Structures are given as structure tokens and as C-alpha cells.
Amino acid sequence: MNCRRALCAMLLLVCLSATAGEPAPPPGTPGVSWSSLSPQQQQALGRFEPQWSTLPPDRQQALATGAQRWSSMTPQQRLDARGRFQTWQQLPPGQQAIIRQRWQRFQQLSPQQQQSVRQNFHAYSTLPPAQRAQLRERWLNATPRERTEMLQRQRKLLLERGGGQRPPPEHEHAPRAR
């Protein structure tokens, strides 16, 4: 039973986090009948069967999509997802709320802006830890004016690299406090 509970928790995380570039189902999305789910989806979502017909249609769609995504993951991807979920569960509710708000802001960006954020994150995450710490410290110690100047330089660099699209607003590029 613990395995099933962990699987359900993972499915919820997968549904909540959704992969980048894959928007959540819009309100008014048609529901999903239990019988239309694949056997793998039904197995993964078994605990929801008794109340499936009472779930909001967009929730049904999100769960079905999450179960499909889960079944297509490799064992390593599932292990990684479980680890991320455990980390998520250990966060204080306030930190979870901040992360949800950031995710919602990210989802509101244009595809070009989302790509820019992803590129910046990738560039940042591939830096050596000491350099990341140095950049974080520099950002945290900067005055509001210095932060604005840093962001303006970043926008200029992005445009020069051929991004052509206007990068996200200032608060979207701000490094996250860790």
C-alpha cells in the first residue's frame, strides 16, 4: 500500500509541476471518463476511481495526463521525480506557495520568454558552484539601481545574441534565494 500511496503522491506532483512548455488544461476542458483511461492510467490512478466522476473535468484531465507521463518515464526518471517530491514535501508551506507563484508567472510568459528563462537557468546551473555563489552574493548585495542595471545588461546581451524578443520583466530574471 505504501508503494501505491507514493505513486499517487508522485502523480499529483507530476500533475502540479507539469513539464515546461506544457500548459495546464484550461478551465472548461472536457472531462475524461474512467473507461477511456488506459489500463496503466487506471492502475496509477486507482485511488481516485471512487470519486472520479465527481472530480472537476480539468482535474481529471490533469490527472490523466500526469498518469500518462508517469507511465512513460524510465525507472531513473521516476526515482528522480520521487526525490523531487520528497524535497517538495519537506518545504514549509510558505516556500511551496512562493514556488507555485513563480511557476504561475512562468506559465504566463510567452514561449520566447519561457525559452529565455530556460536558457538563463541552464547557463547558471552549469556554472561551477563557486561562481554561482559569487553571482548570488553579488545579486543579494546589489542596490535596487544596481539590480536594474544588471538586468538591463542581460537584456541587451540577449538581444545581441539574436533573441529578438523582449525578455521577461525584471522580476522574472531575479535569481531565487536558496
Side-chain angles (χ1 to χ4, degrees):
M1 192 63 178
N2 275 346
C3 184
R4 179 174 255 185
R5 185 172 291 173
L7 178 60
C8 289
M10 286 310 308
L11 287 170
L12 289 173
L13 174 66
V14 170
C15 292
L16 288 173
S17 64
T19 57
E22 188 177 321
T29 300
V32 178
S33 69
W34 183 259
S35 61
S36 71
L37 297 173
S38 71
Q40 295 87 357
Q41 287 173 306
Q42 287 182 0
Q43 181 181 5
L45 298 171
R47 80 171 237 194
F48 294 100
E49 183 178 12
Q51 74 260 23
W52 186 260
S53 62
T54 64
L55 293 174
D58 56 330
R59 179 82 169 126
Q60 290 176 347
Q61 186 65 47
L63 286 167
T65 301
Q68 183 62 41
R69 191 175 315 123
W70 180 259
S71 67
S72 68
M73 289 180 175
T74 66
Q76 183 60 49
Q77 289 171 324
R78 289 179 183 186
L79 185 63
D80 293 344
R82 282 186 187 103
R84 286 190 302 273
F85 185 68
Q86 287 173 348
T87 300
W88 172 260
Q89 285 182 311
Q90 293 171 358
L91 292 173
Q95 188 67 28
Q96 288 181 1
I98 290 169
I99 292 169
R100 280 190 196 99
Q101 289 168 353
R102 286 180 180 162
W103 176 252
Q104 290 167 353
R105 283 196 326 243
F106 178 79
Q107 290 295 331
Q108 294 170 357
L109 298 175
S110 71
Q112 295 84 5
Q113 291 171 325
Q114 289 181 8
Q115 184 61 27
S116 174
V117 170
R118 283 189 206 101
Q119 288 171 345
N120 286 340
F121 177 77
H122 177 72
Y124 176 79
S125 63
T126 58
L127 293 173
Q131 195 172 355
R132 285 196 311 259
Q134 185 180 31
L135 285 172
R136 223 178 359 261
E137 190 68 25
R138 185 173 153 211
W139 177 263
L140 292 172
N141 291 327
T143 65
R145 181 176 177 203
E146 290 169 332
R147 287 182 180 186
T148 300
E149 290 169 359
M150 288 178 197
L151 293 169
Q152 288 171 347
R153 280 194 302 273
Q154 177 65 20
R155 283 193 185 96
K156 184 178 177 184
L157 287 172
L158 286 171
L159 291 173
E160 288 172 359
R161 284 193 311 208
Q165 296 292 325
R166 186 179 180 281
E170 292 176 8
H171 64 278
E172 299 299 343
H173 277 295
R176 292 179 282 197
R178 298 210 187 252

